[in-house]
Amino acid sequence: MRNFRNLSLCATAAIVALATQSSASAAEPAKFKIPAQSMQTALTLFARQSGAQLLFPYDQVAGLHAQSVNGKMTPDVALQRLIAGSGLKVTLNNKDVVALSLSNPAQKARGMEVASLGVTGLPFAAQASSAALSPQASLADEPAAPAIVVTGSRGQARTVTDSPTPIDVISGEDLTRTGKAGVFQALNTLVPSFNLPVRAGGATSTVIATGGLRGLNPDQALILVNGKRRHKTSLINAVSSLYNGSVPADLDMIPTSAVDHIEVLRDGAAAQYGSDAIAGVINIILKDDAKGGSANFTAGQNFDRSDGELYQADLNFGMKLGDNGFANFSLNLKKQEMSNRALPLADCSVTATTTCLYPLVNGALDPRDAAAVGTERIVTTSYGVMPSRSINTALNAGYDLGGVQFYAFGTYSQRRSDLWYSYRYPKDINNVMGIYPTGYRPHIMIDEEDFELTVGAKGELSGWDWDFSTGYGRNRARQSSEGTLNPSMGTLSPTEFYIGTLKSSEFVTSLDITRGYDVGGGNLQVSAGAQHRHERYQTFAGDEASYLVGDYIVSGMTPGAQSSAGFQPEDAAYMSRDNLSVYADVAWDPTKDITIGAAARFEHYDDGSGNTLIWKVNGRYAPTDWIAFRAAANTGFRAPAVAQQIYTQTTNQFRTVNGVPNQLLQIKTLAVDDPAAIALGAKPLQPETSFNISAGVVLTPLPNFSLTIDAYQIDVDDRITITSTLTGTAISNILIASGIPASEANTLTAQYYTNAIDTRTRGIDVVASYRHDLFDAVKMQWNLGFNYNRTKITHIIDNPAELASTGYVLFDRARQSNMTNNLPRTKLSISNLATMGDFTLSSRLTRFGGFKSYQNGVTSNGVTTYPNDRSYGAKWITDLEGSWQMTPMINIAIGANNIFNVYPDKNRASDVSATLGQGLYAGTSPIGFTGGFYYARVGLTF
């Protein structure tokens, strides 16, 4: 085989030498025009156009597919782009000869590239990303090749350090090594500027895995898959403290096993990609291997109480389709059990009856309460992570017909989330003793079906690379309630209800074109495109019994199904809208050290969002080989989600009211055109607009070291948020006047969405990476990431005239706190990947900064105080995983997240519910409050 390989190299050298017309230094820029095609033909064209002698294993590259290279650049850069993702690497490069070899001859890379031309989705180079935050799976002896990224650069791939805007690259292996249950949780660990609070409670908001970039809302970052816009969830984040009102895309519907890598663009990019990209872009690149695969099984549980069990199975495999195609399949099965950190209740007595389950009997304890004295009673079982079951699948496929490449990718998922609500005492006014003599714990089952499919084709016509695609995405969430009742119906009440269904869908059709020109001795990349998007959102009413106001109403009772009243017929709504957009994008590299870019986009909506024209400019300058400066400025926008305009539902939730915590309220979220909302001052929603400026420096003083520092300021005007909880006699009178029955209005707390505030966010990102050997035996990869982020409110709209006489504030102090200081201002991550032979140790230390929760003031005798303000300190979290490659096929790993079992600061004793035992920890803590988690994983590679 060695002789055959040498003969092959010699034959290749002879073929390429014949094709080579002249010899030129690799440092001289040259004009390249190499279409995407077979690797053998593409490398021969590269040799002819570059004037370089090229050696490569001709027999081994058969079946590999090369990337398109178009424009004027140095041969080094052109070659890296040509072979990106193929498994080929440069082993020798001088002015006389360039030699290539296949990293793993036993397993060739996928047969063709299929992702969008707009963000071409080049496969991740496993040994790349000196500027990536996360460590890589393998470390080479030679300096790592720079990661090739395509997000933020239309039509032309660039390296991480060459990009004029900051980008993090996270590999699929990094996601697996976190031991986390989904993509969102893994990103929270790996990206410092990403914040994902671990929620407990909060109704459907608990289901939505929502995290924000740079302190902004989740729906102010655009989610792409293979460069194509991902559809939104149908579950609106309606009742939580953080990110209230956001309607994001749910990345946890994408199986982790399908992810090749993730590119996180930390800069405004709405002019390039459209609405929502105010804070940045998260681009998920799917695996496209044409052979082989992997399987993993992970199991783990919490240190404390041995709860929160997680079982996860992942599968990925690829196959060839004929001679020029591939199909890659992925599957994820996940089972998450409940965790609970509620406290035991104090013993009840005839003088302290708040923790008595039953009323006194002739002035004495009920025998059942008396028998429980001296025992630990925990009546709340759901103060922590909620249980769920899910199955996620993904497909990525393509076929090359020569001049045209067809591709298709999509996902299909089902998820059941089981949301347990607080225990209702037998003596509770919302219980019917004839149905639940010992009380009950209502829970809601949310059954989601999520589907997305994108198909398209791309090729070249008259010198222009083109990409045409169309996609359809849908999320449907059916809600039902079990173990509950409607107390206003008495003993006639059912114990199970159909609450209603939410459905969201999007059709997206796009055309992108791009072409490189030789201008001024450099490469000018010209791109343009158009997109049509059709969005629909619909809510369906539940059972009549789920919202009925029955005949047994008494003062203080909340009618309807407990935990969440059903969608009423008047709540059921439907809305659709169309969006048309066109854009132009240019990037000019007059020299290899200078990049200048500009983009403009025009968007038209046929609803109240109207027309928007936005722009972006950026640039990069490298005065030396080891330092580069970059800067960008852009305007952006986010059109109000259809769901935010029509969503209406009534839910029960505990809130702090006038300084008193754990008050059960019936909260009705009103559509902006609802007569009751209009009576309370609601106005039609308008788009959010932004202005973003950033500047940074890239330092690469050593071959194995890089450091990037980027500062930014993001001004967002007319931010959409939900109002304060409007409740009390004055509000009830307004609602009654608008036609709501008094029996409902007197127990109702209303809120609606509005363009309430302007904000300014300032921050800085620092990302560093260093690779070295230790005693010539251990290969070390160090990564550091730091983010400082601060948001302040620059303007709040005046109270509407309708509320002027009520004394209520439309956007109160508590709401302001959730936008400004209820998130950590700093986040620091230091990680290391140490590899010695078949053993790998991954360690990560993360510091989550402190945060504060401000509440509304309490006024007494004309003096206002703030006794319910809380402050929480910074916490260090340590994650550790060790793995052993037992055989070429089998890998085992043991790890722990939060290995030192760190909890957030506790609330005051007065914050803990005396009757439920919950409230000890802040629900907005970025580290959650279930402590450490340990796990084991068995992996197979085939």
Side-chain angles (χ1 to χ4, degrees), residues 549-613:
V549 180
D551 298 328
Y552 297 93
I553 283 289
V554 296
S555 178
M557 178 182 287
T558 54
Q562 295 304 291
S563 70
S564 180
F567 289 93
Q568 302 179 22
E570 55 268 31
D571 295 339
Y574 171 83
M575 179 178 173
S576 66
R577 72 177 176 193
D578 288 281
N579 161 241
L580 292 171
S581 62
V582 293
Y583 75 89
D585 188 347
V586 295
W588 183 37
D589 297 275
T591 71
K592 67 181 181 63
D593 300 321
I594 299 176
T595 298
I596 302 170
R601 190 181 193 95
F602 176 78
E603 298 255 358
H604 167 73
Y605 287 83
D606 65 359
D607 64 352
S609 300
N611 301 327
T612 302
L613 178 64

Side-chain angles (χ1 to χ4, degrees), residues 424-469:
R424 266 60 167 178
Y425 275 56
K427 62 183 180 182
D428 193 289
I429 195 172
N430 290 308
N431 182 36
V432 178
M433 294 284 285
I435 299 178
Y436 294 114
T438 60
Y440 64 102
R441 296 181 180 90
H443 59 117
I444 290 180
M445 310 297 290
I446 301 180
D447 293 295
E448 288 182 83
E449 183 182 54
D450 192 273
F451 170 78
E452 180 160 288
L453 177 64
T454 298
V455 296
K458 64 180 183 179
E460 181 184 350
L461 180 65
S462 300
W464 288 85
D465 293 330
W466 58 269
D467 184 346
F468 179 79
S469 67

Side-chain angles (χ1 to χ4, degrees), residues 551-716:
D551 298 328
Y552 297 93
I553 283 289
V554 296
S555 178
M557 178 182 287
T558 54
Q562 295 304 291
S563 70
S564 180
F567 289 93
Q568 302 179 22
E570 55 268 31
D571 295 339
Y574 171 83
M575 179 178 173
S576 66
R577 72 177 176 193
D578 288 281
N579 161 241
L580 292 171
S581 62
V582 293
Y583 75 89
D585 188 347
V586 295
W588 183 37
D589 297 275
T591 71
K592 67 181 181 63
D593 300 321
I594 299 176
T595 298
I596 302 170
R601 190 181 193 95
F602 176 78
E603 298 255 358
H604 167 73
Y605 287 83
D606 65 359
D607 64 352
S609 300
N611 301 327
T612 302
L613 178 64
I614 52 178
W615 54 265
K616 178 175 182 176
V617 294
N618 58 45
R620 177 184 179 274
Y621 171 59
T624 70
D625 292 338
W626 60 272
I627 187 171
F629 301 95
R630 58 190 181 190
N634 63 81
T635 60
F637 81 106
R638 188 188 75 83
V642 178
Q644 290 176 323
Q645 301 183 60
I646 68 170
Y647 181 83
T648 301
Q649 192 189 17
T650 304
T651 58
N652 299 327
Q653 191 185 9
F654 286 93
R655 288 280 181 87
T656 298
V657 180
N658 296 326
V660 182
N662 298 306
Q663 298 300 298
L664 182 62
L665 298 179
Q666 188 182 35
I667 302 172
K668 190 174 186 68
T669 302
L670 302 170
V672 293
D673 60 353
D674 188 287
I678 295 173
L680 295 174
K683 300 292 190 297
L685 295 179
Q686 301 299 314
E688 300 172 339
T689 59
S690 67
F691 177 67
N692 186 327
I693 56 173
S694 63
V697 60
V698 179
L699 302 171
T700 53
L702 301 173
N704 293 325
F705 174 78
S706 68
L707 171 67
T708 65
I709 305 172
D710 294 276
Y712 56 88
Q713 175 177 296
I714 308 171
D715 291 302
V716 186

Side-chain angles (χ1 to χ4, degrees), residues 97-171:
V97 65
V98 178
L100 304 176
S101 67
L102 198 61
S103 299
N104 185 4
Q107 182 176 339
K108 297 178 182 178
R110 86 283 174 265
M112 63 170 290
E113 173 58 43
V114 298
S116 163
L117 171 78
V119 278
T120 313
L122 300 176
F124 180 72
Q127 298 174 348
S129 189
S130 59
L133 171 65
S134 52
Q136 304 308 317
S138 71
L139 300 173
D141 292 331
E142 67 273 6
I148 302 294
V149 296
V150 290
T151 310
S153 180
R154 289 277 185 182
Q156 180 170 295
R158 298 180 184 272
T159 67
V160 168
T161 52
D162 285 343
S163 173
T165 49
I167 297 178
D168 292 327
V169 179
I170 310 297
S171 73

Side-chain angles (χ1 to χ4, degrees), residues 881-925:
E881 179 185 290
S883 66
W884 175 32
Q885 193 70 42
M886 294 180 58
T887 72
M889 289 186 61
I890 303 174
N891 179 279
I892 61 173
I894 299 176
N897 291 322
N898 192 0
I899 195 170
F900 296 114
N901 203 32
V902 176
Y903 277 76
D905 291 345
K906 296 179 180 179
N907 286 324
R908 300 175 189 177
S910 58
D911 295 332
V912 180
S913 171
T915 57
L916 298 171
Q918 62 192 40
L920 185 61
Y921 301 103
T924 58
S925 169

Side-chain angles (χ1 to χ4, degrees), residues 24 50 108 123 297 317 340 464 514 524 534 590 640 661 678 703 729 911 925:
S50 67
K108 297 178 182 178
F297 177 75
F317 66 94
N340 181 42
W464 288 85
T514 187
L524 175 68
H534 178 74
I678 295 173
T729 303
D911 295 332
S925 169

Side-chain angles (χ1 to χ4, degrees), residues 412-431:
Y412 178 79
S413 303
Q414 290 185 356
R415 179 173 65 191
R416 164 166 281 200
S417 303
D418 193 357
L419 306 183
W420 288 80
Y421 282 68
S422 299
Y423 174 69
R424 266 60 167 178
Y425 275 56
K427 62 183 180 182
D428 193 289
I429 195 172
N430 290 308
N431 182 36

Side-chain angles (χ1 to χ4, degrees), residues 324-376:
N324 298 308
F326 78 96
N328 190 274
F329 301 91
S330 300
L331 171 69
N332 171 264
L333 303 173
K334 183 170 64 177
K335 180 180 181 181
Q336 174 71 67
E337 299 290 12
M338 182 185 296
S339 60
N340 181 42
R341 295 298 175 267
L343 299 178
L345 303 179
D347 287 335
C348 75
S349 66
V350 294
T351 58
T353 62
T354 57
T355 57
C356 293
L357 298 184
Y358 306 96
L360 298 177
V361 179
N362 298 323
L365 293 180
D366 183 282
R368 290 165 291 187
D369 278 329
V373 173
T375 65
E376 287 195 347

